[in-house]
Amino acid sequence: MPCPITLVTGPSRSGKSRWAEHLAHCSQLPVIYVATSHPAPDDPEWQNRIRHHQQRRPAHWRTLEPPLDLVALCHNPPPDTCLLVDSLGTWVAEFLALNPSEWLTLETQLLTALKTISTPIILVAEEVGWGVVPAYPSGRSFRDRLGELVQAIGAIADQVYLVTGGWAINLTELGQPVPRGAFLDSVPPA
């Protein structure tokens, strides 16, 4: 039987990682923090961000770092744990070189694995589409792939939270799901 999927999304510096960490703690299960970002030794600011996240987490949480196979982990998670994946944006960025067909295959594999996951999972995702359309193709590809992945996960998630300004809103309690597909094509005009 599948376990709950929780999606936590929001803009940068909104508090989404802290909210996801809070939810993982509240699960009362051993937490495995799945870091999707590669350390960048030549980028001190990025190293500082990673260090900040590490210092905030309880010492007893286990951490998995890249390289890792997120699809395989979701197909075969350690039993009786809560997985916290932070973040989908850095995971998507790792695969920007894939052509559209290869990306669709990988995205489908992840969604299939999530639909049958046997342990609770909390996924953190950045909202990158609230700004201007990127002026370069790789930026548009990243924004589009992440946005579509977040929508697809939101459609199968048990809970979806939007975090902004340090506040978390449970969208599954307050919102309505956006219909997926081309149903509007079959509706006659009024």
Side-chain angles (χ1 to χ4, degrees), residues 170-177:
N170 186 333
L171 297 178
T172 47
E173 289 179 1
L174 299 173
Q176 293 290 318

Side-chain angles (χ1 to χ4, degrees), residues 20-21 24 31-35 61 82-86 122-124:
E21 292 161 3
V31 176
I32 299 177
Y33 182 93
V34 183
W61 284 11
C82 175
L83 296 177
L84 170 53
V85 178
D86 195 357
I122 301 164
L123 300 126
V124 177

Side-chain angles (χ1 to χ4, degrees), residues 4-5 7 11 15 18 26 29 39 59 77 90 104 119 123 129 139-140 154 184 187:
I5 299 169
L7 175 63
R18 287 192 328 269
C26 289
L29 292 168
T90 51
L104 182 60
T119 193
L123 300 126
R140 290 190 298 272
L184 292 177
V187 177

Side-chain angles (χ1 to χ4, degrees), residues 16-17 29-30 39-41 44 77 82 88-89 97 102-103 132 142 176 188:
K16 63 188 175 298
S17 292
L29 292 168
C82 175
L88 290 173
E102 293 168 331
W103 168 251
V132 298
F142 171 74
Q176 293 290 318

Side-chain angles (χ1 to χ4, degrees), residues 2 12 15 36 45 57 61 82 139 142 181:
S12 295
T36 60
E45 189 271 335
R57 293 193 299 266
W61 284 11
C82 175
F142 171 74

Side-chain angles (χ1 to χ4, degrees), residues 122-190:
I122 301 164
L123 300 126
V124 177
E126 300 81 0
E127 285 295 334
V128 295
W130 287 2
V132 298
V133 175
Y136 46 94
S138 63
R140 290 190 298 272
S141 178
F142 171 74
R143 184 210 50 196
D144 293 350
R145 287 179 180 187
L146 181 57
E148 290 166 4
L149 178 62
V150 169
Q151 279 193 63
I153 292 173
I156 63 172
D158 299 284
Q159 293 181 319
V160 178
Y161 289 94
L162 172 64
V163 180
T164 187
W167 287 80
I169 302 168
N170 186 333
L171 297 178
T172 47
E173 289 179 1
L174 299 173
Q176 293 290 318
V178 175
R180 294 183 63 81
F183 79 98
L184 292 177
D185 294 338
S186 63
V187 177

